[in-house]
Amino acid sequence: MAIRGAAVEGCGCFPTGGPWPGLVIAGASRAAFLLPGIEVDTEWASRPLVVIDVETTGLDPRADRIVELGIARIEGQTIVARQAWLVQPGIAVPAEALEVHGLTDGELATAPPFGQIIAEFLPHLAGAIPVAYNAEFDRTFLREEFRRAGAAVPDALRSETEWLDP
């Protein structure tokens, strides 16, 4: 993974493990106006970013659930935090999803439900521009999990908040 020429270790969030392409300025500029704590006058590449990846039981956010959530928080072109959580989805993992991420019902049996990881996850979003491949997929699943848990949906997950999607 490289950011503006600075080499950093891969975060392990992305299933491909491949390099992360450059970010686009337009998305970061719009996101700055929509998220509290992000200063508009700061150069976009200097703003905190939180790279997000989810693995799920399927493609329908209303019926399917998150089984893994991974983040990497980047500040000043340095990864300052990495976290991954296995999540007990409360439903069986279909064979099609198992082929994508390899997480079995047995591996997830002792994982906490999504509601129990919210308190650990929220600080990583604070003041950072969200980044994800296929961003709308990840955001929609996260938003649904917050709602299912009866938790307030954070600003970063609102539909009007721009995410960077490299």
Side-chain angles (χ1 to χ4, degrees):
M1 180 186 294
I3 302 172
R4 291 187 60 160
V8 294
E9 236 178 84
C11 74
C13 294
F14 303 111
T16 63
W20 180 33
L23 300 174
V24 294
I25 294 172
S29 297
R30 285 192 299 269
F33 292 103
L34 296 171
L35 288 172
I38 296 179
E39 296 187 26
V40 178
D41 294 336
T42 306
E43 178 183 305
W44 74 271
S46 300
R47 295 179 182 146
L49 306 171
V50 61
V51 182
I52 300 169
D53 187 43
V54 301
E55 299 298 334
T56 67
T57 61
L59 302 175
D60 181 355
R62 290 196 174 94
D64 293 306
R65 304 291 189 267
I66 290 176
V67 295
E68 185 177 27
L69 168 62
I71 65 94
R73 185 169 170 113
I74 302 167
E75 295 178 7
Q77 301 181 15
T78 301
I79 295 175
V80 297
R82 271 178 235 204
Q83 181 74 43
W85 298 268
L86 290 180
V87 179
Q88 170 47 253
I91 62 174
V93 176
E96 299 83 15
L98 182 62
E99 289 178 24
V100 173
H101 53 64
L103 295 169
T104 66
D105 292 328
E107 291 172 296
L108 300 170
T110 59
F114 189 84
Q116 290 181 13
I117 67 166
I118 288 174
E120 287 181 63
F121 173 55
L122 280 175
H124 297 291
L125 292 176
I129 297 170
V131 179
Y133 285 103
N134 197 11
E136 194 55 30
F137 179 87
D138 289 20
R139 177 191 7 218
T140 302
F141 265 91
L142 286 166
R143 193 170 41 234
E144 286 299 318
E145 292 289 3
F146 269 82
R147 288 183 180 143
R148 260 186 223 107
V153 176
D155 290 334
L157 303 181
R158 295 181 315 187
S159 57
E160 62 270 15
T161 300
E162 292 283 341
W163 283 34
L164 295 178
D165 190 339

